[in-house]
Amino acid sequence: MNNTKAYSAASATSPLASTHIKRRDTTEHDVQIEILFCGICHSDLHAVRNEWSAFMPTVYPIVPGHEIVGRVTKVGPAVRKFKVGDLAAVGCMVDSDRTCPQCKAGLEQFCPNMTLTYNSPDKHLGGVTYGGYSESIVVDEHFVLRVPANLNLAGAAPLLCAGITTYSPMRHWGVRKGKKVGVVGLGGLGHMAVKIAHALGAHVVVFTTSPSKKEDALRLGADEVVLSRNADEMKKHTFSFDFILDAVAAEHDINAYLNLLRRDGNLTLVGAPPKPLAIAAFGLIVGRRSLSGSSIGGIAETQEMLDFCGKHNLTADVEVIPIQKVNEAYERLVKSDVKYRFSIDMASLKER
Ligand code: NAP
Ligand code: ZN
C-alpha cells in the first residue's frame, strides 16, 4: 500500500485540508497514475457539504475529485492499454460489475454495482473510495481513458465529467446541424455544452442569469444569449427548441424552459439541485414534450468524447489554482463566479 498526500473534508461544515490516504498496490489490471490536474465539479461541492444526503449520503472524511488527468507511473502485469509514461485520465467511475445488462450495453454509469471515484464502497481497501484531490490514484485499466496528445492538460481534465455529461445526452437526443439547442446555466457543464453543441453544428442559445457572461457565451460558440430573468426575451423563443440541456446546480423554475420546446422536444436535466423540482403538467402535455435526466456517460462514449474533443481541439476554459485555494474556489462556485472551470494544479500538493 502507498501513502499518498490528499485534500479531504472531515464533515459537511469543515473546509478541505491536507491529509494522507492509502492507495492500493497495483493488481493485475491496475494502472497507477500520478495526478497532474483535477477539475473542480459542482458535484464535489454538493458531496463535500452533504447536500445530496437523501440520495447519496457522504461518508467522511471525503476526498473529492473526478476530473483527473495524469501520467502512468506503474502498471499491473496484465495491463494492455497503457505503459509507464503515458498520459491517462479518470472520470467519475472506477469500477462496475461488467456483467449486468447496463455494463454489457457499455453504460457502466447505470450499473447497480458501479463504484464512483469517490464516496463509494472501496472493494479493495474497505471504507470508501477517494478521488482526485490527491497525488496519485490506482484504477483498473477498463476505467482509464486515453488523452489526445494535442490537448492542454489543465483544460482537458474537466472533459472527464463536464465534457462527457454534456456530450452524452446531446448525442442521445440527436443534436446536430439544423437543430436548435438551448443550454441553461453557463458554468462548468454549461460552457462545455456550448462548445460541444457548436462543434456538432447546432444553433446554440445560452440561457444565463449572469448578464456579465453574455460576451463570453458568444465567444464560446453560442449563436444567441438570453437573460433568463427577462420574461420578454424568454417569450420570443416559445415553442422553438428541439433540445434543451439544463445544467443548473440550484433551485430554479424549469417550466419556463419546457414552454420553449417545440413539438416532441426534449429537456434533459443534468444539473442536480438537492431539492425536488415542481413540474406543470401542461408544459409536457402541450406539444408532447418530454423531460429526462442523464448521468455522465459510459466508458466507450467517454473515450469517443475525448477523441471528438481532440479532433476539434476542445478543452474547458480553466482557471488553474493551487490546491491551497480550493476552499476559496468552492465559495466562488456557489456564487456562479467561475470562468468556467477551476482546474487544480496538483504539483501544488507537493509544496508543504
Ligand atoms: P457550476 O459550474 O457551478 O455551474 C452552474 C451554473 O448554474 C452557474 O454558473 C449559473 O450559470 C447557474 N446557476 C447557479 N445558480 C443558479 C440559480 N439559482 N438559478 C439559475 N441558475 C443558476 O456547476 P457545474 O459543475 O457545471 O454543475 C452543474 C450541476 O450539474 C451540479 O448540480 C452538478 O452536481 C451537476 N452534475 C451532474 C452530472 C450528471 O451526471 N448528471 C455530472 C456533473 C455535474 P449562469 O451564471 O449562467 O446563470
Ligand atoms: Zn462532476
Side-chain angles (χ1 to χ4, degrees):
M1 250 173 347
N2 300 297
N3 220 15
T4 304
K5 283 183 190 168
Y7 255 56
S8 73
S11 79
T13 52
S14 316
L16 288 145
S18 123
T19 186
H20 282 86
I21 55 169
K22 300 257 185 283
R23 294 295 192 191
R24 68 177 182 265
D25 292 326
T26 49
T27 62
E28 282 270 283
H29 290 279
D30 281 341
V31 176
Q32 183 191 61
I33 300 163
E34 179 198 5
I35 301 176
L36 299 175
F37 292 95
C38 183
I40 299 182
C41 179
H42 206 113
S43 302
D44 299 349
L45 187 153
H46 289 308
V48 163
R49 301 189 177 174
N50 204 12
E51 292 175 352
W52 289 334
S53 57
F55 178 66
M56 222 192 278
T58 302
V59 177
Y60 294 94
I62 176 174
V63 177
H66 58 207
E67 295 185 334
I68 299 167
V69 294
R71 206 168 278 286
V72 175
T73 44
K74 198 175 170 189
V75 295
V79 169
R80 294 288 166 266
K81 262 167 64 182
F82 296 92
K83 58 180 189 324
V84 171
D86 285 351
L87 288 175
V90 178
C92 302
M93 306 180 276
V94 289
D95 207 356
S96 69
D97 64 25
R98 331 261 180 108
T99 54
C100 75
Q102 326 310 328
C103 286
K104 285 192 171 145
L107 298 168
E108 297 91 344
Q109 74 272 33
F110 304 127
C111 170
N113 300 306
M114 183 260 290
T115 305
L116 289 166
T117 304
Y118 60 83
N119 199 38
S120 258
D122 186 329
K123 289 180 201 156
H124 298 263
L125 298 180
V128 291
T129 50
Y130 292 136
Y133 297 7
S134 59
E135 269 181 314
S136 69
I137 192 164
V138 178
V139 180
D140 185 293
E141 68 169 328
H142 180 76
F143 290 84
V144 182
L145 288 308
R146 286 182 308 275
V147 186
N150 59 314
L151 298 182
N152 168 276
L153 291 184
L159 300 178
L160 277 298
C161 177
I164 185 59
T165 302
T166 54
Y167 180 85
S168 181
M170 290 201 281
R171 295 284 289 163
H172 181 78
W173 290 98
V175 169
R176 58 182 179 273
K177 195 168 165 44
K179 300 286 179 184
K180 184 174 173 183
V181 171
V183 174
V184 188
L186 199 64
L189 266 56
H191 97 290
M192 280 317 306
V194 171
K195 291 187 183 205
I196 292 169
H198 178 73
L200 289 168
H203 180 89
V204 185
V205 182
V206 165
F207 295 93
T208 180
T209 59
S210 310
S212 65
K213 293 182 183 172
K214 211 165 173 172
E215 290 307 311
D216 282 347
L218 296 170
R219 175 181 56 78
L220 293 165
D223 297 284
E224 299 177 62
V225 185
V226 173
L227 296 177
S228 52
R229 291 189 175 131
N230 181 325
D232 290 337
E233 274 193 52
M234 291 287 282
K235 213 168 166 190
K236 283 186 201 148
H237 292 271
T238 302
F239 222 79
S240 69
F241 281 90
D242 296 286
F243 177 73
I244 299 178
L245 189 77
D246 185 323
V248 174
E251 242 181 313
H252 62 293
D253 177 22
I254 69 161
N255 298 295
Y257 299 101
L258 288 174
N259 291 332
L260 305 187
L261 293 172
R262 66 192 304 166
R263 173 170 53 82
D264 292 322
N266 171 270
L267 187 151
T268 292
L269 285 179
V270 284
K275 286 200 190 136
L277 304 163
I279 316 288
F282 281 102
L284 293 172
I285 291 171
V286 174
R288 197 167 51 193
R289 297 157 171 147
S290 65
L291 169 64
S292 341
S294 190
S295 175
I296 47 173
I299 290 299
E301 196 176 41
T302 305
Q303 190 61 59
E304 178 189 307
M305 175 277 308
L306 284 166
D307 296 343
F308 176 88
C309 289
K311 188 170 150 214
H312 294 269
N313 213 1
L314 298 182
T315 50
D317 282 29
V318 288
E319 183 175 336
V320 178
I321 59 161
I323 187 95
Q324 291 78 3
K325 290 237 162 110
V326 68
N327 294 303
E328 210 175 290
Y330 274 35
E331 288 316 310
R332 288 180 51 195
L333 210 52
V334 174
K335 295 185 205 138
S336 307
D337 174 25
V338 47
K339 299 204 167 147
Y340 280 88
R341 198 58 141 186
F342 291 110
S343 187
I344 307 169
D345 181 351
M346 280 304 162
S348 59
L349 196 53
K350 298 187 172 47
E351 299 160 13
R352 245 185 317 124

